[in-house]
């Protein structure tokens, strides 16, 4: 470029912001080619909302990451979601290390909430489920029954078309674009 800067590295005279680091990470070939790129993007949305775009990378260290994790816990985010956000931050720091913009990855030192602490796993017996279904409006029963008996996500059920359903064989087939994890 003639000015000593590289198209892959931000201008060294400019303070590196969170937004710069995220853009560098998302444009790296390692992340760009990942099948779960959307998950990184979703994670970074939460991170930017908390820290803001202009947050300086040099100020992002273990205590700030711990405060972010605690904030997400108080928001009710699942431990697995928080862990994915932590992984996105770690990937960002790995990219910065590769570009010699930082020397360490503070995310590795941050504690992660236990995924066992979540209140997500709940067993509902068939009898209790049927009692709940009886209380629902008639139109909602097949939807709730499909959710219960298949384990599908709400968006997957609502996104189904008749092309997905093979009634004679009792099979539901979803295309990759119809599922959260592709």
């Amino acid at each position: 470029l003639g000015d000593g800067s590289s198209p892959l590295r931000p201008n060294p005279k400019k303070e590196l912001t969170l937004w710069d680091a995220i853009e560098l990470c998302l444009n790296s070939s390692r992340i760009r080619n990942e099948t779960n790129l959307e998950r990184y993007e979703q994670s970074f949305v939460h991170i930017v909302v908390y820290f803001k775009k202009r947050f300086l990378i040099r100020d992002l260290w273990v205590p700030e990451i711990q405060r972010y994790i605690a904030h997400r816990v108080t928001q009710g985010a699942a431990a697995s979601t928080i862990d994915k956000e932590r992984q996105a931050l770690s990937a960002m720091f790995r990219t910065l290390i590769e570009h010699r913009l930082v020397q360490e990855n503070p995310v590795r030192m941050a504690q992660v909430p236990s995924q066992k602490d979540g209140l997500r796993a709940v067993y509902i017996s068939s009898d209790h489920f049927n009692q709940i279904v009886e209380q629902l409006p008639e139109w909602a029963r097949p939807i709730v029954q499909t959710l219960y008996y298949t384990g599908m996500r709400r968006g997957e059920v609502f996104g189904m078309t008749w092309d997905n359903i093979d009634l004679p064989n009792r099979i539901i087939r979803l295309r990759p674009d119809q599922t959260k994890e592709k």
Side-chain angles (χ1 to χ4, degrees), residues 64-120:
E64 290 75 29
I65 295 166
Q66 293 290 92
R67 280 192 285 276
Y68 172 75
I69 291 169
H71 169 75
R72 293 294 284 141
V73 168
T74 62
Q75 284 186 316
S80 60
T81 299
I82 296 168
D83 189 51
K84 286 180 176 85
E85 293 167 9
R86 191 189 64 77
Q87 289 171 19
L89 262 178
S90 188
M92 179 193 76
F93 273 100
R94 280 194 310 274
T95 302
L96 295 177
I97 290 168
E98 289 170 6
H99 289 277
R100 297 182 187 171
L101 296 169
V102 299
Q103 294 183 352
E104 296 179 88
N105 184 347
V107 180
R108 292 182 176 189
M109 295 178 259
Q111 295 284 325
V112 181
S114 169
Q115 294 192 25
K116 294 178 184 174
D117 295 341
L119 301 174
R120 301 178 77 189

Side-chain angles (χ1 to χ4, degrees), residues 86-171:
R86 191 189 64 77
Q87 289 171 19
L89 262 178
S90 188
M92 179 193 76
F93 273 100
R94 280 194 310 274
T95 302
L96 295 177
I97 290 168
E98 289 170 6
H99 289 277
R100 297 182 187 171
L101 296 169
V102 299
Q103 294 183 352
E104 296 179 88
N105 184 347
V107 180
R108 292 182 176 189
M109 295 178 259
Q111 295 284 325
V112 181
S114 169
Q115 294 192 25
K116 294 178 184 174
D117 295 341
L119 301 174
R120 301 178 77 189
V122 177
Y123 174 76
I124 299 175
S125 72
S126 182
D127 290 338
H128 285 131
F129 174 73
N130 290 328
Q131 290 173 4
I132 293 168
V133 169
E134 289 174 15
Q135 302 300 312
L136 295 173
E138 193 70 35
W139 63 267
R141 292 177 186 177
I143 297 168
V144 172
Q145 288 168 328
T146 303
L147 291 166
Y148 181 77
Y149 290 117
T150 65
M152 293 170 65
R153 294 180 172 93
R154 182 181 52 205
E156 293 168 344
V157 170
F158 288 127
M160 280 194 313
T161 64
W162 284 109
D163 295 343
N164 299 115
I165 302 169
D166 180 355
L167 282 178
N169 293 312
R170 299 177 53 193
I171 293 177

